[in-house]
Amino acid sequence: MQRTRVDAVFAGRVQAMPGDGRPTGIFKTVVVEPVRVGIEGLEIDAQADRRVHGGPEKAVHHFPAKNLLRLRAAFPAVAARLVPGSLGENLSTAAWDEAEVCIGDVYRLGSVRLQLNQPRSPCWKIDARFGVDGMTRFVAEHGIAGWYYRVLEPGSFAAGDVLMLEERAADAVSLREYWDLHAATRPDLAAVRRVVDAPGLAPDKRARWQQRLEWLQANG
């Protein structure tokens, strides 16, 4: 079974973006002790804009450290600041990336049961956080924003716990496939149907893919 160690857990409070003033929850600090996790995420974590962050469908954000290597290479001026926790994530692992995880995957971490239900969609706060233009666009274009879990069973977890895959659908869609299809102008209809039918996909994402499928069928 697929498994990896969680190297660090992060949480934070809402604060003003330096030089900007708008509220943000992107600044996180390391959590050493076990943390309670409910349906809406880590109990000690906070999000500024609940329309696009947090809540049951975006309860826990996982950003793999592998992706930091690509960001450092693309943005050398801020490479020293691109460290685990700096993208606003809750979980950091040295292993895995978007090619190795799938929509609908069910994992166990500590006593918490999680389901991967969607990729993260990067926002303006990444550029503002690092004071550079184009990082958000780079993250979006390369599909390296990490992913969200919904919480199936609340409990607690801590850094050092093993994240273990418990369930994966037979025809699961990896996040790399998801992003490749997202970028395609005329994606294969069967591939789009796989995304629409992916078990565990967040409802709003499923609705958008269903709309795209219907448009493609009508304009084939």
Side-chain angles (χ1 to χ4, degrees):
M1 296 294 287
Q2 187 176 351
R3 64 174 68 193
T4 189
R5 178 182 180 273
V6 169
D7 298 306
V9 174
F10 302 93
R13 59 182 177 80
V14 176
Q15 62 186 79
M17 182 73 75
D20 183 286
R22 284 181 283 182
T24 179
I26 198 171
F27 295 96
K28 308 292 187 188
T29 57
V30 174
V31 180
V32 177
E33 68 280 359
V35 59
R36 290 288 305 170
V37 182
I39 295 299
E40 299 217 348
L42 283 67
E43 292 184 354
I44 60 172
D45 195 34
Q47 302 83 35
D49 189 347
R50 298 280 291 181
R51 296 171 304 166
V52 293
H53 300 292
E57 293 300 318
K58 299 177 181 178
V60 179
H61 176 216
H62 185 162
F63 187 81
K66 278 184 179 181
N67 290 352
L68 290 171
L69 301 178
R70 298 178 66 178
L71 287 174
R72 290 171 190 154
F75 300 92
V78 295
R81 295 166 55 200
L82 287 162
V83 297
S86 63
L87 271 291
E89 67 267 33
N90 300 120
L91 303 179
S92 176
T93 57
W96 301 358
D97 60 20
E98 281 75 4
E100 298 167 273
V101 298
C102 298
I103 296 292
D105 280 356
V106 175
Y107 297 91
R108 176 72 64 176
L109 180 60
S111 59
V112 182
R113 201 159 180 254
L114 303 164
Q115 184 174 42
L116 195 160
N117 66 336
Q118 61 183 302
R120 178 189 179 185
S121 297
C123 69
W124 64 269
K125 293 180 181 179
I126 296 177
D127 280 7
R129 163 80 168 83
F130 293 98
V132 297
D133 292 327
M135 189 179 293
T136 298
R137 184 173 63 251
F138 181 90
V139 169
E141 290 177 349
H142 290 82
I144 54 170
W147 51 88
Y148 282 114
Y149 300 106
R150 64 165 63 95
V151 176
L152 300 179
E153 294 178 13
S156 63
F157 55 58
D161 286 347
V162 173
L163 182 63
M164 181 184 301
L165 177 67
E166 289 192 338
E167 298 177 18
R168 173 172 289 173
D171 194 26
V173 178
S174 75
L175 286 188
R176 176 51 48 221
E177 293 177 281
Y178 182 105
W179 281 120
D180 288 347
L181 282 170
H182 186 272
T185 303
R186 286 284 181 174
D188 178 72
L189 288 180
V192 175
R193 286 193 189 95
R194 282 182 62 220
V195 177
V196 172
D197 295 337
L201 182 63
D204 64 326
K205 294 291 190 295
R206 191 184 308 281
R208 291 175 190 173
W209 280 96
Q210 179 64 42
Q211 290 173 356
R212 189 178 187 191
L213 176 61
E214 291 171 359
W215 187 92
L216 289 167
Q217 289 171 327
N219 295 274

